[in-house]
Amino acid sequence: MVKQLSKKNERVEEVFNLFISHVQNFLKEANLNHEEYTNFVDWADRLGRAGELPLYADVFLESHVLRAMYTDKPGTQPSLLGPYFVEGTPLIEAKPGQPLVLTQRPNEAGDVMYFSGNVSNTNGEPLEKVRVEMWQNDASGKYSSFDSDAPKYNFRGHFYTDENGDFEVKTIVPLPYSIPTDGPTGEFLDYTDQHPMRPAHLHLMFEAEGHETLITQVFFEGDEWLETDVADGVRLDLMTKLEEKDGHKVSSLDFVMRTI
């Protein structure tokens, strides 16, 4: 039996040729000697074996891709999906007259926060029944399912906007945190004298029929790491204030989805 060759993909060929061309030009411009080149290949090999390629790409590449794609487009700016997203989160439903509560343990540590927002589209129409996925770290600065003793879906869940495109969620104020530094990515940070910190943020993903999925983050004014976010994920239109109200924190931000 003759083995069939895979169908040619012109776009893959185009991107691959461009990638190789730029890497070759980079190596020529950097004027690497053979030892430096070998050390680079060894580091890249260890990056892959350690499972840190997605982490490295998230931190040092994805933000630049998103800026190039969306800076001049209408609607809310996207930000990193990040390495801490998980599938299969529980549906969060509110009791009458009460806000949604992001999945958490009883007596969860942290400053209670009510986060609210509105979802509309670039035509100015409020969007009902938008599926909103939300996740964040806890008061230890860790994400459930990743180096944490919290239940799998702690501070994770999805819900839907109401008939006016509104939502309100009870959660806690997230904390700044360090990306992992005990592997090849941490070595790179040491070599380049960069810190590993990300400012506190919420993760949100919005999905609605007829609209482009919006994956973004929400940041808080006054965070010491905003201007030097290691992942360069901060956008001015993703900033909100934390304010005191009735013994807890409140914050809000509105989101605009792009129509397809």
Side-chain angles (χ1 to χ4, degrees):
M1 179 179 293
V2 178
K3 183 178 179 180
Q4 291 186 341
L5 298 177
S6 59
K7 185 180 296 185
K8 179 178 179 179
N9 187 312
E10 293 183 358
R11 177 58 176 164
V12 170
E13 183 178 19
E14 176 189 9
V15 173
F16 177 79
N17 288 337
L18 188 62
F19 172 75
I20 293 298
S21 174
H22 279 279
V23 169
Q24 291 172 340
N25 289 333
F26 156 72
L27 293 172
K28 182 178 180 180
E29 181 179 350
N31 194 29
L32 299 184
N33 60 40
H34 193 261
E35 181 181 3
E36 290 171 332
Y37 171 77
T38 302
N39 288 340
F40 169 74
V41 172
D42 175 69
W43 173 83
D45 179 53
R46 288 187 288 110
L47 186 74
R49 291 177 184 273
E52 289 192 6
L53 184 57
L55 170 66
Y56 187 87
D58 281 346
V59 172
F60 297 106
L61 301 176
E62 186 173 354
S63 278
H64 298 285
V65 173
L66 294 175
R67 286 183 188 276
M69 291 177 62
Y70 290 102
T71 295
D72 297 326
K73 291 185 177 181
T76 298
Q77 290 291 300
S79 192
L80 313 171
L81 176 67
Y84 299 121
F85 171 73
V86 298
E87 301 274 2
T89 62
L91 172 64
I92 301 171
E93 297 182 279
K95 297 178 180 179
Q98 297 184 18
L100 301 160
V101 179
L102 194 61
T103 308
Q104 55 192 269
R105 295 165 288 191
N107 302 314
E108 189 78 51
D111 294 330
V112 174
M113 176 181 70
Y114 288 78
F115 179 72
S116 60
N118 176 268
V119 184
S120 60
N121 62 23
T122 50
N123 296 325
E125 303 163 332
L127 296 179
E128 178 183 6
K129 295 182 180 178
V130 175
R131 187 185 190 279
V132 185
E133 185 87 33
M134 182 173 174
W135 67 104
Q136 66 172 91
N137 63 12
D138 62 19
S140 71
K142 296 180 179 180
Y143 287 82
S144 63
S145 300
F146 296 88
D147 192 28
S148 169
D149 59 2
K152 182 177 181 179
Y153 295 121
N154 208 51
F155 287 117
R156 299 178 183 275
H158 69 275
F159 50 87
Y160 294 87
T161 57
D162 68 14
E163 65 275 11
N164 299 311
D166 295 326
F167 66 88
E168 183 180 35
V169 186
K170 180 182 179 182
T171 182
I172 65 167
V173 179
L175 297 181
Y177 66 92
S178 169
I179 66 169
T181 59
D182 56 354
T185 302
E187 288 180 32
F188 178 84
L189 292 173
D190 287 339
Y191 293 149
T192 56
D193 195 27
Q194 295 186 65
H195 70 75
M197 296 300 296
R198 294 221 63 209
H201 56 273
L202 303 172
H203 293 267
L204 294 131
M205 180 190 299
F206 301 88
E207 297 176 290
E209 186 176 352
H211 295 78
E212 182 180 316
T213 296
L214 171 62
I215 301 171
T216 195
Q217 298 178 13
V218 175
F219 302 90
F220 303 93
E221 293 182 8
D223 192 299
E224 64 176 307
W225 303 106
L226 288 174
E227 295 184 2
T228 58
D229 176 14
V230 67
D232 191 29
V234 178
R235 310 285 188 269
L236 290 179
D237 66 344
L238 303 181
M239 300 280 292
T240 186
K241 292 182 178 180
L242 273 176
E243 299 178 318
E244 290 282 346
K245 181 181 179 181
D246 301 329
H248 58 261
K249 306 286 188 180
V250 295
S251 65
S252 64
L253 193 68
D254 294 338
F255 303 89
V256 179
M257 300 183 70
R258 298 169 187 84
T259 56
I260 296 175

